[in-house]
Amino acid sequence: MRAERKQLWPLVVALLVALILLIATASAAERDAADTLSIGDKVTISVFGQTDLSGDFVLDGSGAVNMPLAGRIRIAGLSAPEAEARIRSALMDGYLRDAVVSLRVAELKPIYIMGEVRSPGTYPFRHGLNVLGAIALAGGYRVGDESVAVLKSELLLADEREQLLSASLQTLMARRLRLEAERDGSKQLVPDARISGIAQLLAGEQEILEFQRRAREGERELLSQQVARLQSEKAALTDQARLVERQVELTREQSSEYNKLATTGHGLRTVQVERERDYARTQGEAARLRAELAKSETALGELTLRLRELDTTYMRRVVLELQDTRQKILEVERSLPAAREIAESRRRRLVASQGSDAAADWDIRITRQAGLTPVTLQGKFETTLQPGDIVQLAPKARTIEGGLPGEAAKTPMRSLTGLASQQ
């Protein structure tokens, strides 16, 4: 055992040395990064004996300073001595024989603290400042300006609005399925298998669909019966009119033949008058039947038109209601994400007001300028900051004590919203 321990000691020592070197290298890298120039830094450049070339300059978006004679010189990512050497080289490239250049940082960029702190904003940078110190500058990481009761009340209202919008979306989607079934003439709703949680709404819409279908079929049946009756009456009047027209023709022939006899003196005047009276009477009956037939045809046309108007009015109502329902679905879909975001924001603030001091309860993100490209880092309380860093502090998601309503119904409703957007 002693021999094995003696063999392990060199390995342990080597690991410790490597760990110390790694920490030292990281610390040195952080110090070097803090000492290098970056976009937005304000520097004072002095050129000995050249007052026109000296002054304060700000590194622009490309990390360069714009100096007289030499023009734009990129010095971002360099330390102060390296930047002095580059400026000296640029000035001696055809402008000055010998240049003595000194550079110092006139003003470090501030740090920006955002998120769940009491006083988010801009704060001056100090060397050695870490995330915890920045949170202290911002007044602390707890949202203590509002009481827990007020935050819970706001969260309850936000959750209620989200649930109302979600329920409204469910109702509108079920109504849309029913209207589409009415438009297509279907007797049964065809629910989408991807939609869950609206079985009761679909059952109610199915009842409405059946009622609308029965009412429409009943009205159509009544009109169809009246149409059939008028068609029968029209057929009977047509036959009767044909017989009366035949009778008129026969009466006219009899009257004509008797007139010939009366002219030759073989017929009586009274019989001739009676024949003419029969002829006039049959003509009147024929005219009356033609009028009845015309009235029957008019009534039949009106009933046929009413039957068509019934279908047209029904379909127009269905299409308009379907269009209105789709518009309302779009409006709810636009409002629902904002309502969810508001509820989530209230939830985070409540979590923050009840949060602990442990770094594990907080999500710390640091946005830092790396040359010309910003990068986002996951930070800790002890992470050392650099000039221009943007610190975003947010509580990590965790369960709120007391079981606020509306938590269980969020997942299916989000899938429902996505489906409504696709359709």
Side-chain angles (χ1 to χ4, degrees):
M1 292 293 293
R2 292 181 179 177
E4 291 179 357
R5 289 179 180 177
K6 288 181 179 180
Q7 292 177 357
L8 289 175
W9 268 110
L11 182 58
V12 173
V13 171
L15 290 175
L16 290 175
V17 170
L19 181 60
I20 293 172
L21 290 176
L22 182 61
I23 295 174
T25 303
S27 300
E30 289 184 356
R31 288 195 300 272
D32 292 342
D35 292 338
T36 57
L37 301 174
S38 61
I39 296 173
D41 284 343
K42 184 177 181 180
V43 296
T44 299
I45 301 175
S46 299
V47 182
F48 182 75
Q50 301 291 333
T51 57
D52 294 339
L53 301 180
S54 303
D56 293 336
F57 302 88
V58 178
L59 276 69
D60 60 18
S62 61
V65 291
N66 192 6
M67 295 187 62
L69 295 181
R72 298 176 72 257
I73 305 173
R74 190 174 181 276
I75 59 175
L78 303 179
S79 63
E82 292 171 342
E84 291 174 354
R86 179 169 293 185
I87 294 172
R88 181 174 181 273
S89 175
L91 291 175
M92 292 178 63
D93 187 12
Y95 300 107
L96 300 177
R97 290 185 177 180
D98 190 14
V100 178
V101 179
S102 64
L103 181 145
R104 65 179 180 86
V105 179
E107 182 179 335
L108 292 174
K109 289 185 296 184
I111 59 172
Y112 306 88
I113 306 174
M114 303 168 57
E116 299 296 341
V117 291
R118 297 186 181 216
S119 302
T122 305
Y123 293 89
F125 174 79
R126 294 200 302 259
H127 288 284
L129 183 67
N130 58 14
V131 172
L132 188 60
I135 294 172
L137 287 176
Y141 47 80
R142 289 191 180 184
V143 185
D145 297 336
E146 296 176 285
S147 66
V148 174
V150 173
L151 291 174
K152 283 187 176 180
S153 176
E154 292 180 351
L155 178 56
L156 287 172
L157 291 175
D159 275 341
E160 182 182 5
R161 171 168 172 75
E162 180 184 352
Q163 291 183 26
L164 288 175
L165 287 173
S166 299
S168 176
L169 181 61
Q170 284 185 329
T171 303
L172 290 171
M173 292 187 67
R175 183 184 304 168
R176 186 186 64 184
L177 289 177
R178 188 253 300 170
L179 291 171
E180 289 175 347
E182 290 186 31
R183 179 198 62 189
D184 300 334
S186 302
K187 296 182 180 181
Q188 188 71 27
L189 291 181
V190 182
D192 197 315
R194 296 171 294 176
I195 304 177
S196 60
I198 57 174
Q200 295 181 351
L201 292 174
L202 289 178
E205 293 295 335
Q206 180 65 43
E207 292 180 359
I208 296 175
L209 176 63
E210 294 176 357
F211 174 79
Q212 297 277 18
R213 181 178 59 81
R214 288 196 301 268
R216 182 189 178 195
E217 289 180 352
E219 192 169 355
R220 282 182 57 84
E221 181 65 22
L222 290 175
L223 290 175
S224 299
Q225 290 176 0
Q226 294 182 27
V227 168
R229 180 178 59 80
L230 286 177
Q231 286 176 344
S232 299
E233 291 180 359
K234 178 183 175 182
L237 287 172
T238 302
D239 293 339
Q240 189 176 358
R242 186 171 61 254
L243 294 175
V244 170
E245 290 291 340
R246 178 60 178 165
Q247 186 177 359
V248 169
E249 182 67 20
L250 293 174
T251 305
R252 185 182 64 80
E253 291 178 358
Q254 290 178 359
S255 178
S256 178
E257 291 295 332
Y258 198 83
N259 285 336
K260 292 178 181 179
L261 293 174
T263 302
T264 59
H266 294 85
L268 297 176
R269 178 63 180 170
T270 56
V271 176
Q272 182 183 5
V273 172
E274 187 66 26
R275 291 286 184 268
E276 290 179 357
R277 184 180 298 138
D278 290 340
Y279 177 62
R281 186 168 51 251
T282 54
Q283 281 185 327
E285 182 67 16
R288 184 187 66 80
L289 287 175
R290 286 195 295 271
E292 291 290 334
L293 186 59
K295 288 172 60 178
S296 178
E297 290 178 349
T298 302
L300 183 61
E302 291 177 353
L303 281 177
T304 305
L305 183 60
R306 284 181 57 187
L307 193 58
R308 293 179 181 176
E309 287 181 350
L310 174 65
D311 295 336
T312 304
T313 304
Y314 175 81
M315 190 57 62
R316 184 186 299 114
R317 177 190 63 80
V318 170
V319 171
L320 290 177
E321 287 188 12
L322 182 58
Q323 183 179 2
D324 182 66
T325 301
R326 287 174 174 171
Q327 181 64 32
K328 289 180 179 178
I329 288 176
L330 291 177
E331 293 174 359
V332 173
E333 285 178 342
R334 294 190 187 101
S335 302
L336 194 54
R340 286 204 182 101
E341 183 61 29
I342 293 173
E344 187 63 26
S345 174
R346 298 287 189 270
R347 192 171 292 105
R348 287 196 300 265
R349 289 177 66 85
L350 183 57
V351 171
S353 68
Q354 296 176 339
S356 68
D357 298 347
D361 292 337
W362 298 93
D363 182 21
I364 303 171
R365 298 183 184 272
I366 302 172
T367 303
R368 178 172 295 169
Q369 194 74 22
L372 299 180
T373 306
V375 295
T376 301
L377 312 172
Q378 192 69 39
K380 300 179 180 179
F381 281 166
E382 60 272 13
T383 301
T384 302
L385 298 178
Q386 297 179 14
D389 281 354
I390 302 174
V391 181
Q392 177 74 35
L393 186 70
K396 291 183 178 179
R398 59 189 182 90
T399 304
I400 302 175
E401 296 180 1
L404 290 168
E407 298 296 323
K410 287 181 172 51
T411 301
M413 291 315 306
R414 292 181 183 178
S415 62
L416 184 64
T417 307
L419 177 61
S421 300
Q422 295 175 1
Q423 297 179 349

